[in-house]
Amino acid sequence: EMAGIQLPVEISEEGISVKRKKVRLMSLMVHKKDTMRIKDEVTLVSNKPNIEQLLWYTIDVRGMDLRPEDNVVKARGELSVFVLYSGEDEENPLQWAEYVLPFNTEVECTGCMGEMIPNIGFSVMHQSIEVKPDSDGEERVMSVDTVLELDMKLYEEEPLELVEDLYATDREIDVTRKETQFDKILTNTTGKCKVTDRMKYESSDRILQICHHDGQIKIDQVEVKGDGLEISGVLEVTFLYMTSDDKEPIRSGSDVIPFQYFIEVPGINQESVWQLAPELDQLSS
């Protein structure tokens, strides 16, 4: 529930001595939700056969950077696109392709300013890939469409001098006090945690080639320890690979890799409120 709080900042009456206190107040200036559409096209490289039928695809948003500017929020990142399709090559009918599509776009946000402190989350609402003919009429162009929902919270921190106490030598002053709580930002930071592991995949057939891999971060526990947060979780890895079995040329496997990461937050305590937005930056196998 939104509520306004009146704070004492000045005494207009003469002859009263005032004790002041400097504080920094954080206020939520903008809170709104909006959608952002990212559309792009990619053409198959020349050594890949035409697309006969699209079998399966994934679109991942990587390296997302969301920054507020005057009345807009700018977004920059990459779409990691993987497609599995049946091609017109009779000897190798099963084909795949992987592309990275950079994007740089923006969404209107009335009231935003560049100096505001952002806390902007995003989730995928819709994804699709449509196969289109190229200029020669061959099915080689893929139209990629992604719609993101943005949850935009922007804060502003301002310095303020409050009246903490007052007295006078020529009269009795009855001071009424009331407790209230202010929010302030301890840190707004990013950190990178490198997770590596070796996994032995027990399979009856040989892995000829890894076609595609994907990962999801699952946070299990976050604890305030000392001057920071200790984060524990797992990286769930899924991969597609090519086998030597002609009946099942493509198979999938998965594994779970645990990790721990400590991020420094000077001044944190057990009463502090934290928000995390874990994101996979790079993955290789």
Side-chain angles (χ1 to χ4, degrees), residues 125-253:
M125 287 182 65
H126 167 77
Q127 289 180 330
S128 66
I129 294 181
E130 183 185 352
V131 180
K132 297 164 61 177
D134 62 7
S135 56
D136 298 324
E138 297 180 323
E139 301 284 323
R140 300 187 63 80
V141 177
M142 290 177 290
S143 178
V144 181
D145 187 10
T146 298
V147 179
L148 304 178
E149 183 180 49
L150 302 183
D151 185 7
M152 298 178 283
K153 295 176 185 173
L154 292 113
Y155 299 89
E156 200 168 55
E157 207 172 37
E158 58 176 331
L160 201 63
E161 261 197 351
L162 299 181
V163 174
E164 188 179 22
D165 202 358
L166 46 91
Y167 77 94
T169 57
D170 59 349
R171 76 198 84 170
E172 188 83 21
I173 296 179
D174 185 17
V175 179
T176 304
R177 300 178 183 276
K178 183 182 175 184
E179 277 198 7
T180 188
Q181 186 173 315
F182 302 131
D183 289 334
K184 66 176 181 178
I185 293 178
L186 291 175
T187 186
N188 179 27
T189 186
T190 58
K192 286 194 176 184
C193 174
K194 189 174 183 180
V195 181
T196 58
D197 197 15
R198 290 170 68 89
M199 59 184 82
K200 188 174 182 181
Y201 192 59
E202 300 294 342
S203 178
S204 57
D205 47 48
R206 281 197 317 129
I207 297 176
L208 299 181
Q209 186 180 353
I210 294 176
C211 312
H212 175 66
H213 49 237
D214 198 3
Q216 262 194 324
I217 303 168
K218 296 286 179 72
I219 302 294
D220 293 330
Q221 191 175 17
V222 182
E223 279 188 288
V224 176
K225 286 197 174 178
D227 265 355
L229 288 173
E230 188 170 85
I231 303 159
S232 305
V234 295
L235 175 65
E236 293 182 348
V237 183
T238 308
F239 53 94
L240 286 180
Y241 61 92
M242 194 174 181
T243 74
S244 52
D245 187 351
D246 293 336
K247 292 180 181 177
E248 292 185 19
I250 297 283
R251 288 186 182 173
S252 68

